[in-house]
Amino acid sequence: MFAFLATVCAANAQEITVNETATTTSPSTGDYYQGFTRPLTFNRMIPPYALEVTFSKTVHIIFPSAIRYVDLGSADLLAAKADGTENVLRVKAALRDFSKESNLAVITEDGAYYSFNVKYSDEPVKLSIEMTDFIHDGEVVNRPNNAMEIYMNELGQESPLLVKLIMKSIYKNNKREIKHIGCKRFGIQHLLKGIYSHNNLLYFHTELKNSSNVPFDVDYITFKIVDKKVAKRTAIQEQVIWPIRAHNHMMNIGGKKSERTVFTLPKFTIPDDKHLIIELYEKEGGRHQTFTVENADLVRAKVINELKVR
């Protein structure tokens, strides 16, 4: 009798456990987390572009700005920046005739986001594709109307799109706010036309004039804060300020020509016993240009309150 009762109790307990488990693992009713979250509506979706790839050919996509991020939906795709470029992406199939559709996402330096749905095709029609800036993408753009720009670490809280527009505006207006800073040697003149400020960024507008017949090939340009006076046997203290953006940074200035560039730098100030030295070096040449900027010039940077691009 005792053995029979123990067997019956164990069976009832197992039945209760099974029922409780069935209750907690009931199938989904289709609600989004039992109604506690709201579904994404189509006005929040970024419509993807249709892209076809193949195994024996490469598709090249040209973006209006440098590529900062690429994500592939599956191992069926291969993608990489074209050698020697920053804004050209090459895409092809990793295997022949993959059946499942995949996707591709790209983020560019100006904070734009591009989405692609990728399918396999034996003979893709579009092998060379040029993407346009979403500002000039016409009435139907590849983004929601109230979408946010993607921010970059080096720009802090400043929108990459706004930085791009500010540099274009400074270049387009072409005003000479500063008339006493520059250098002229060997038929080359390097001028600082203006210093501008917006939020936590500084914008340096420079011009390089070549009045000689020999082209000037730019090797590199440096911005560094150094001591005004250095005593003998004293180590020179230098602080290099690296530009984080550049608009129209030409590397070759032909004879009897001139070019202007707008550099974006993080906000900084100069102590009284130091100054900013801007050095421009010629590649395989000796016509280097150097001029200094004092803190008094820096603190008088013009604040940008409006943009004039067109």
Side-chain angles (χ1 to χ4, degrees):
M1 291 293 293
F2 285 111
F4 177 74
L5 290 175
T7 304
V8 171
C9 292
N12 291 335
Q14 185 176 4
E15 183 179 358
I16 293 173
T17 304
V18 171
N19 291 336
E20 290 179 353
T21 305
T23 302
T24 56
T25 59
S26 59
S28 173
T29 60
D31 293 335
Y32 288 87
Y33 296 95
Q34 299 181 359
F36 290 106
T37 60
R38 56 183 179 180
L40 286 171
T41 54
F42 280 99
N43 64 340
R44 299 308 312 154
M45 185 186 76
I46 300 177
Y49 290 101
L51 183 66
E52 293 182 339
V53 297
T54 187
F55 182 79
S56 57
K57 295 181 181 179
T58 302
V59 177
H60 287 84
I61 308 175
I62 304 173
F63 293 91
S65 185
I67 299 169
R68 294 291 297 269
Y69 169 87
V70 177
D71 180 76
L72 302 177
S74 68
D76 297 335
L77 301 178
L78 297 174
K81 287 193 289 187
D83 296 340
T85 67
E86 292 294 331
N87 66 322
V88 180
L89 185 71
R90 48 190 178 91
V91 187
K92 66 184 308 180
L95 51 86
R96 295 181 184 274
D97 196 21
F98 61 83
S99 57
K100 292 185 179 180
E101 182 182 287
S102 186
N103 71 323
L104 168 68
V106 177
I107 296 176
T108 55
E109 196 173 66
D110 58 358
Y113 176 86
Y114 299 87
S115 177
F116 302 86
N117 281 349
V118 187
K119 290 184 177 181
Y120 186 89
S121 174
D122 292 330
E123 293 293 337
V125 178
K126 303 169 185 176
L127 293 177
S128 300
I129 302 169
E130 183 179 12
M131 307 303 298
T132 58
D133 192 335
F134 57 82
I135 299 178
H136 310 98
D137 203 14
E139 296 180 357
V140 182
V141 296
N142 187 41
R143 54 192 277 116
N145 294 329
N146 54 351
M148 301 289 289
E149 286 82 24
I150 297 171
Y151 287 76
M152 305 297 175
N153 291 333
E154 67 269 17
L155 297 180
Q157 297 301 315
E158 190 72 297
S159 165
L161 173 60
L162 184 58
V163 172
K164 183 178 180 179
L165 291 177
I166 290 175
M167 291 191 296
K168 282 187 175 181
S169 176
I170 295 172
Y171 183 84
K172 182 73 174 179
N173 294 332
N174 191 21
K175 293 183 179 180
R176 188 173 181 182
E177 306 288 347
I178 299 175
K179 301 181 180 180
H180 64 284
I181 299 178
C183 175
K184 186 175 182 180
R185 298 176 60 196
F186 312 114
I188 305 296
Q189 187 176 18
H190 193 205
L191 301 174
L192 180 63
K193 302 192 69 172
I195 304 176
Y196 302 86
S197 173
H198 186 268
N199 286 347
N200 290 323
L201 298 176
L202 295 173
Y203 299 86
F204 283 70
H205 184 199
T206 64
E207 183 175 14
L208 186 62
K209 297 180 179 180
N210 185 3
S211 58
S212 68
N213 295 321
V214 181
F216 186 93
D217 294 320
V218 178
D219 191 4
Y220 59 92
I221 185 171
T222 61
F223 298 77
K224 57 184 179 181
I225 300 175
V226 301
D227 298 328
K228 291 182 179 180
K229 296 181 179 180
V230 181
K232 294 182 178 179
R233 299 181 181 178
T234 302
I236 300 176
Q237 300 294 329
E238 294 184 355
Q239 179 186 354
V240 179
I241 310 296
W242 299 103
I244 52 181
R245 290 289 189 278
H247 178 72
N248 193 48
H249 186 27
M250 302 298 293
M251 304 303 293
N252 178 275
I253 293 85
K256 306 296 182 181
K257 293 184 179 181
S258 63
E259 293 289 346
R260 293 180 293 109
T261 306
V262 180
F263 294 97
T264 303
L265 291 88
K267 184 186 70 175
F268 64 92
T269 56
I270 307 173
D272 293 335
D273 59 340
K274 298 178 182 291
H275 55 198
L276 175 69
I277 296 182
I278 300 178
E279 296 178 323
L280 181 68
Y281 290 86
E282 182 183 16
K283 187 176 182 180
E284 298 179 356
R287 296 178 293 178
H288 310 317
Q289 305 293 312
T290 303
F291 58 80
T292 61
V293 179
E294 302 295 335
N295 189 56
D297 302 312
L298 192 65
V299 297
R300 287 197 294 265
K302 186 175 181 180
V303 179
I304 298 176
N305 294 321
E306 59 181 11
L307 296 176
K308 296 180 181 179
V309 179
R310 296 182 180 179

